[in-house]
């Protein structure tokens, strides 16, 4: 079948509207090219012939909606992804954070917790874990369950270990987990000051008075308008002088909130909210 | 009659650095359309490719940024470890979705989304490579009425990717690497006049 792209875009918009009206999840300002690809992926697996049929299936069968919700939530993540970022956190940001008697960190779009536990390890090694409180949120309930478990496939450990070392890790990465036949279970002390909870960046509100917000590889899935809204949410959730960390290919360059931040590390995408913002 | 094209997409894998060093500098800087390039690289690679190509080309070459708008006469290279997607409004998106054809960035992801955005006004070019990436995407470009160009397998360092592309669809032009840039210049700008660049 050779459907005109414009017709497919109409079908896609109707699907998103249906999901929003029926289930309250708002994908209407996500990247269209991304959504289209995820819909095609579901079509290819389910034998449905068109996006309109997928819309019908999602509306009439909640199970189908939940499956498609997983498709839309890209949970690809790693521990110590982009080692230079973690190195910069360790050497430059944590010492500044350490000047506060206590501090709060928000990981928005935390997926299965890889970033959150990387942060917990950094705080541990800096002797700051007791003073910090970490809030880790995602809109995907199933992935948050996994994050709470803190268990990762053994196959990933080699990569995590290398990246931990590249990020300036001081200990042996093996000190932080116990392995069984299939999985590595992170030590439970790393979980001590972490709260996992559901939060949707599109539809939920401010998360108040954070010293550091980490939101990496989430904004790329949003269109410019939604990126602006969510960065606005971060501005309102940061204390003056608080830090914002984005993914290595994300920036505030196209954001209307850009002037509310100063650039701390250009390459590592670390920004600081101006005191007068 | 000159056809109105709006963009060129290029997919290349092993042997790609050598191939791109011939293709990109061969393109004229007054090319009337943007060029989008996916080269398979290791996820740890840095942004060296775009810089290197920019130095040796008349055309401006840069690494693609999330949500920037395409401009004529600029070549955009997908960053390592991110897929490059074209939005219907002519802006770019990056994503860390799972690998496609064992690759991120994937040629198919670029070609399919660009085909959705530009329809018949798109030219797809598949160059050297040792895998199948790009075949599905080129087939979509053809289905939508776009133009399909493939490097002749004999002129490719690795011929699997051009061959897979040739098998996937009715390709319009099969050309040796060195003829592809002049072909595109001619198609998009017209015959070159003596001593202009
Ligand atoms: C590609 S992952 C990034 C994970 C991690 N931050 C990293 O960079 O490794 C994107 C995450 O964003 C989450 N996400 C997508 N849309 C969201 C929304 N509206 N609110 C909260 N989380 C969202 C997804 O569920 C997914 O876990």
């Amino acid at each position: 079948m050779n459907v005109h792209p414009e017709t497919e875009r109409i079908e896609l918009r109707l699907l998103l509207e249906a999901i929003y009206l029926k289930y309250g999840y708002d994908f209407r300002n996500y990247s269209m090219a991304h959504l289209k690809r995820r819909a095609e992926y579901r079509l290819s697996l389910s034998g449905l012939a068109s996006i309109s049929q997928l819309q019908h299936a999602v509306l009439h069968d909640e199970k189908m909606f939940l499956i498609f919700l997983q498709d839309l939530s890209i949970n690809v993540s790693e521990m110590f992804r982009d080692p230079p970022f973690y190195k910069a956190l360790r050497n430059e940001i944590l010492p500044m954070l350490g000047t506060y008697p206590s501090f709060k960190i928000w990981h928005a779009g935390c997926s299965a917790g890889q970033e959150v536990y990387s942060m917990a390890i950094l705080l541990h090694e800096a002797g700051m874990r007791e003073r910090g409180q970490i809030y880790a949120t995602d809109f995907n309930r199933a992935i948050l369950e996994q994050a709470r478990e803190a268990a990762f496939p053994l196959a990933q450990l080699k990569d995590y270990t290398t990246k931990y070392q590249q990020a300036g890790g001081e200990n042996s990465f093996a000190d932080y987990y116990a392995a069984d036949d299939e999985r590595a279970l992170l030590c439970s002390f790393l979980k001590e000051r972490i709260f996992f909870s559901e939060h949707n960046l599109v539809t939920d509100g401010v998360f108040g008075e954070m010293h550091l917000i980490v939101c990496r590889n989430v904004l790329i899935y949003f269109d410019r308008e939604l990126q602006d809204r969510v960065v606005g949410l971060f501005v309102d959730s940061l204390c003056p002088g608080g830090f914002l960390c984005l993914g290595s290919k994300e920036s505030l360059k196209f954001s209307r909130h850009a002037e509310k931040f100063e650039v701390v590390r250009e390459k590592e995408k670390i920004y600081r909210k101006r005191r007068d913002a | 009659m000159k056809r109105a094209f709006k963009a060129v997409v290029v997919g290349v894998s092993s042997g790609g650095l050598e191939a791109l060093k011939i293709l990109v500098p061969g393109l004229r800087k007054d090319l009337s359309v943007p060029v989008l390039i996916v080269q398979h690289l290791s996820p740890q690679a840095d942004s060296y490719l775009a810089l290197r190509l920019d130095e040796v080309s008349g055309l401006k070459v840069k690494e693609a940024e999330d949500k920037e708008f395409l401009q004529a006469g600029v070549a955009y290279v997908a960053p390592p470890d991110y897929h490059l997607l074209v939005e219907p409004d002519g802006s770019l998106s990056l994503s860390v979705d799972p690998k496609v054809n064992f690759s991120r960035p994937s040629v198919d992801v670029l070609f399919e989304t660009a085909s959705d955005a530009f329809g018949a006004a798109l030219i797809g070019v598949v160059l050297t490579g040792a895998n199948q990436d790009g075949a599905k995407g080129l087939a979509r470009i053809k289905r939508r009425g776009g133009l399909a160009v493939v490097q002749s397998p004999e002129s490719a360092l690795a011929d699997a990717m051009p061959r897979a592309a040739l098998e996937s669809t009715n390709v319009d032009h099969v050309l040796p690497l060195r003829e592809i840039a002049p072909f595109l210049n001619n198609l998009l700008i017209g015959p070159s006049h003596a001593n202009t660049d």
Side-chain angles (χ1 to χ4, degrees):
Chain A
M1 196 167 53
N2 201 4
V3 182
H4 196 273
E6 189 53 45
T7 309
E8 282 182 340
R9 286 199 273 278
I10 293 171
E11 289 183 282
L12 192 57
R13 289 199 178 280
L14 292 172
L15 168 65
L16 303 178
E17 206 59 44
I19 289 175
Y20 180 57
L21 293 174
K22 173 112 187 199
Y23 301 103
Y25 283 88
D26 189 353
F27 291 101
R28 294 173 300 177
N29 287 92
Y30 275 53
S31 143
M32 281 295 143
H34 162 70
L35 293 168
K36 168 95 189 309
R37 266 182 32 78
R38 301 321 290 166
E40 280 173 358
Y41 171 74
R42 187 42 53 194
L43 292 180
S44 72
L45 291 184
S46 60
L48 297 167
S50 67
I51 297 177
S52 299
Q53 283 191 13
L54 179 60
Q55 179 203 313
H56 187 273
V58 159
L59 268 179
H60 292 274
D61 179 359
E62 181 164 1
K63 277 200 219 89
M64 190 63 183
F65 164 67
L66 290 172
I67 290 170
F68 191 48
L69 188 62
Q70 294 308 313
D71 293 337
L72 293 178
S73 157
I74 302 294
N75 296 124
V76 176
S77 187
E78 289 168 18
M79 286 186 81
F80 296 100
R81 174 192 236 159
D82 309 315
F85 164 69
Y86 284 95
K87 209 169 195 167
L89 265 186
R90 184 196 290 275
N91 295 336
E92 288 179 46
I93 309 305
L94 293 194
M96 290 196 258
L97 216 56
T99 62
Y100 296 99
S102 68
F103 55 87
K104 292 184 191 170
I105 300 176
W106 177 18
H107 284 266
C110 68
S111 194
Q114 291 91 332
E115 279 185 350
V116 187
Y117 293 116
S118 308
M119 179 70 83
I121 289 174
L122 289 191
L123 292 177
H124 171 71
E125 293 184 1
M128 293 166 62
R129 204 165 44 81
E130 304 294 311
R131 282 191 286 144
Q133 183 68 58
I134 301 183
Y135 301 86
T137 66
D138 202 285
F139 79 153
N140 181 333
R141 211 168 296 165
I143 207 71
L144 282 172
E145 253 343 285
Q146 281 188 40
R148 286 191 188 97
E149 269 199 275
F152 299 102
L154 288 183
Q156 288 165 4
L157 281 185
K158 203 172 146 231
D159 183 44
Y160 290 0
T161 304
T162 313
K163 292 198 162 117
Y164 165 76
Q165 287 159 351
Q166 288 170 346
E170 294 161 0
N171 301 345
S172 161
F173 189 62
D175 294 349
Y176 295 114
Y177 64 83
D180 66 15
D181 289 347
E182 293 144 34
R183 304 188 308 170
L185 296 149
L186 293 186
C187 297
S188 54
F189 76 84
L190 291 174
K191 300 188 201 177
E192 267 164 23
R193 307 211 27 108
I194 306 175
F195 282 136
F196 288 99
S197 78
E198 221 175 299
H199 181 277
N200 190 323
L201 287 166
V202 184
T203 44
D204 294 334
V206 168
F207 221 76
E209 286 306 276
M210 296 291 142
H211 298 86
L212 169 61
I213 296 178
V214 182
C215 182
R216 306 175 73 219
N217 297 306
V218 182
L219 294 181
I220 42 177
Y221 294 100
F222 301 164
D223 70 12
R224 274 198 197 202
E225 189 187 325
L226 184 54
Q227 288 190 355
D228 268 341
R229 259 211 36 196
V230 173
V231 174
L233 186 70
F234 293 155
V235 173
D236 295 340
S237 300
L238 277 174
C239 64
F243 297 96
L244 173 64
C245 305
L246 302 179
S248 65
K249 297 297 164 193
E250 293 168 323
S251 76
L252 294 177
K253 195 167 158 184
F254 304 120
S255 170
R256 64 185 163 86
H257 299 290
E259 77 288 355
K260 295 182 181 131
F261 290 90
E262 57 185 304
V263 180
V264 181
R265 297 279 303 211
E266 172 89 52
K267 261 192 125 164
E268 286 76 24
K269 311 298 177 189
I270 303 175
Y271 302 86
R272 187 167 203 183
K273 183 177 156 185
R274 291 185 193 280
R275 302 212 168 258
D276 53 8
Chain B
M1 237 214 56
K2 230 172 88 183
R3 266 172 77 177
F5 289 105
K6 289 191 183 145
V8 179
V9 287
V10 178
V12 59
S13 185
S14 48
L17 295 179
E18 294 77 4
L20 289 173
K21 277 190 225 155
I22 292 171
L23 176 79
V24 181
L27 295 170
R28 279 174 47 178
K29 65 168 181 243
D30 54 341
L31 211 66
S32 49
V33 302
V35 180
L36 294 105
I37 301 169
V38 161
Q39 152 83 69
H40 294 159
L41 288 168
S42 115
Q44 282 85 34
D46 56 16
S47 306
Y48 147 94
L49 177 63
L51 292 172
R52 183 79 193 85
L53 287 175
D54 188 49
E55 278 169 12
V56 295
S57 309
L59 209 64
K60 179 178 160 63
V61 185
K62 69 186 294 284
E63 192 171 86
E65 290 179 81
D66 182 55
K67 301 293 150 357
E68 73 175 320
F69 281 100
L70 289 170
Q71 281 177 24
V74 178
Y76 301 85
V77 181
D81 216 22
Y82 285 80
H83 290 302
L84 176 60
L85 295 80
V86 183
E87 296 293 330
D89 68 358
S91 62
L92 297 173
S93 286
L94 301 177
S95 93
V96 290
D97 295 19
K99 293 182 175 183
V100 175
N101 303 315
F102 308 102
S103 312
R104 188 171 57 217
S106 145
V107 180
D108 277 341
V109 171
L110 170 65
F111 279 24
E112 292 180 359
T113 56
S115 168
D116 288 351
F118 296 117
L122 183 67
I123 304 172
V125 182
V126 173
L127 304 178
T128 168
N131 54 64
Q132 315 277 306
D133 201 15
K136 261 182 76 191
L138 198 68
R140 180 179 295 191
I141 291 175
K142 273 300 290 181
R143 225 170 29 243
R144 294 252 156 89
L147 193 81
V149 180
V150 172
Q151 176 178 2
S152 60
E154 308 76 55
S155 76
L157 256 134
D159 65 2
M161 206 159 102
R163 284 192 198 285
L166 285 168
E167 276 162 30
S168 74
T169 189
N170 191 7
V171 170
D172 299 286
H173 301 273
V174 184
L175 299 169
L177 179 62
R178 291 195 179 275
E179 285 175 26
I180 295 180
F183 168 82
L184 292 172
N185 289 334
N186 188 31
L187 188 69
L188 294 165
I189 311 171
S192 66
H193 311 287
N195 296 328
T196 56
D197 67 348

